[in-house]
Amino acid sequence: MTFDIRAGAKLNLTLDIVSKREDGYHNIASEMQEIDLADDVSVTLTPRAGIRIECDNPKIPTGIKNVAFRAAKLFLEETGLYVGVKIVIRKRIPLMGGLGGSSTNGAAVLKALNHMQEEFQGKCYDDDTLRGFAARLGADAAFSLVGGRAKCEGIGDIITPLPDLPPQFYTIIQPNFCLDTREGYALYDRNPNIERKSANVFQDVYNDPRINAICDRLTAHGAKSAVMTGSGSAVFGVFESADAAQSATELFPKDDFPFRCVAQSVPAVPAVKV
C-alpha cells in the first residue's frame, strides 16, 4: 500500500518569542502561511520490518536524524503496527532556510500513515492526537498538519486556523550562508527585551546586515513587505503579482543566492482526511 502526499513549505509572516519555559524551550507567537513550494513524499507499507528513507538530495540524512524517519517510528510505536515503512522524498524545499522542510516531511508521513491505518484497520487518529504526535517532532510540524494560514503559539503546538488572505505572491531568496537557530535563541535569552524592528524577532536578534540588505532590496523593488522566515536564512518579499515577484528574483545573482523562487499562498484545504 502506497500513499503519495504533498509536503508544503511555510512562511512566518510574523514571529515573536514570548518567553523561555522551565523545560528550556521557548513559547512563540507566529502567523504562518503555507505556500505551494513543496516536497513530494511517498510512503509505502512493506512486509519487511524497519524504516527506510530514500531522498534525491544526498545531504538529507536517512536515519533517526531525519524527521520523517522519527515520524514513522513514533507512529508505529503508538499504534503497535508491525510493518515496514519505505519513505521516498523528492526535495524542492531548500535546507536550513526557515521554510519548515524537515518538519513538513514529518507531518506528511504522519498524515499518510494515519490515512493508510484507516484503510488497513478501519480506524485512525483524530486531529488533536495527530497534532500531539507532531509536536513531539518539532516546532513547525503541528502547523504542517493544518496548513493554510494559522496562528501558532506555545512551542508551535497550539494552532488556531485563520481566514485565508487574498492571493499574493512571495519572492523567496536564500543566500549562500546559514544562520544557527540555537545561537538565535541564545542571543534572545541574553537580551529578551530587544527592540522589535521587523516582523521576525530572529531578524532583530541576529541583526545581520546581509539579511537586512536583502529585505531592503526587495522593498525597493516594490515588495509590500520583506522579512526573514523562521530562524533564517531565507527571506521573502510580498508582491501583488506573479510578474513583479518573478522580476524581483533577477536582482539576486545565483552564485550568491543559490535558491530563488516565486511561491503563492495555499488555502486551508487538508491534503488528506485526518
Side-chain angles (χ1 to χ4, degrees):
M1 182 184 296
T2 298
F3 193 85
D4 297 324
I5 189 167
R6 171 190 170 281
K10 60 83 183 175
L11 296 175
N12 296 89
L13 303 183
T14 65
L15 174 57
D16 199 4
I17 300 171
V18 177
S19 63
K20 187 174 182 179
R21 298 155 49 109
E22 292 184 359
D23 59 10
Y25 290 96
H26 293 76
N27 289 315
I28 66 165
S30 179
E31 181 184 337
M32 296 190 190
Q33 173 67 61
E34 182 185 2
I35 54 176
D36 59 3
L37 171 64
D39 294 339
D40 291 326
V41 179
S42 178
V43 181
T44 302
L45 298 184
T46 66
R48 189 179 74 179
I51 301 167
R52 291 181 296 146
I53 291 184
E54 297 177 4
C55 183
D56 60 356
N57 186 332
K59 295 181 179 180
I60 299 296
T62 56
I64 194 64
K65 291 184 178 181
N66 188 300
V67 179
F69 184 103
R70 298 207 309 271
K73 182 175 183 292
L74 172 62
F75 194 92
L76 294 180
E77 290 173 348
E78 291 291 334
T79 58
L81 286 174
Y82 189 73
V83 296
V85 178
K86 178 183 177 182
I87 302 167
V88 179
I89 303 172
R90 183 182 178 189
K91 289 296 293 182
R92 295 190 181 89
I93 304 170
L95 308 183
M96 301 183 72
L99 294 160
S102 59
S103 292
T104 197
N105 291 167
V109 169
L110 290 179
K111 287 181 180 181
L113 289 175
N114 202 43
H115 176 86
M116 289 191 285
Q117 180 185 223
E118 184 177 26
E119 293 288 319
F120 189 61
Q121 295 187 326
K123 62 180 181 179
C124 65
Y125 290 113
D126 60 25
D127 292 356
D128 288 341
T129 301
L130 214 59
R131 281 197 290 270
F133 292 168
R136 292 157 65 180
L137 299 175
D140 298 327
F143 167 75
S144 295
L145 287 174
V146 177
R149 174 174 167 253
K151 182 178 181 180
C152 304
E153 300 172 284
I155 57 171
D157 58 329
I158 303 172
I159 311 296
T160 305
L162 297 173
D164 294 329
L165 293 170
Q168 52 190 12
F169 299 88
Y170 305 95
T171 297
I172 301 172
I173 306 295
Q174 185 174 3
N176 58 4
F177 62 87
C178 299
L179 297 172
D180 187 272
T181 302
R182 290 184 180 180
E183 180 186 355
Y185 278 115
L187 288 169
Y188 168 82
D189 289 340
R190 290 197 289 270
N191 186 15
N193 296 317
I194 188 170
E195 181 183 359
R196 270 61 166 175
K197 297 179 180 179
S198 75
N200 183 339
V201 67
F202 282 108
Q203 186 172 340
D204 296 328
V205 298
Y206 290 132
N207 196 26
D208 190 307
R210 299 168 296 178
I211 295 294
N212 296 335
I214 298 171
C215 293
D216 290 343
R217 197 180 302 181
L218 287 168
T219 53
H221 195 70
K224 293 189 292 184
S225 62
V227 67
M228 191 173 74
T229 181
S231 57
S233 59
V235 169
F236 66 94
V238 183
F239 291 88
E240 294 183 348
S241 74
D243 288 344
Q246 184 60 49
S247 173
T249 66
E250 299 170 7
L251 301 171
F252 301 91
K254 193 167 182 61
D255 286 347
D256 296 325
F257 303 93
F259 184 83
R260 308 165 300 169
C261 83
V262 174
Q264 190 172 2
S265 54
V266 172
V269 178
V272 296
K273 179 183 177 182
V274 294

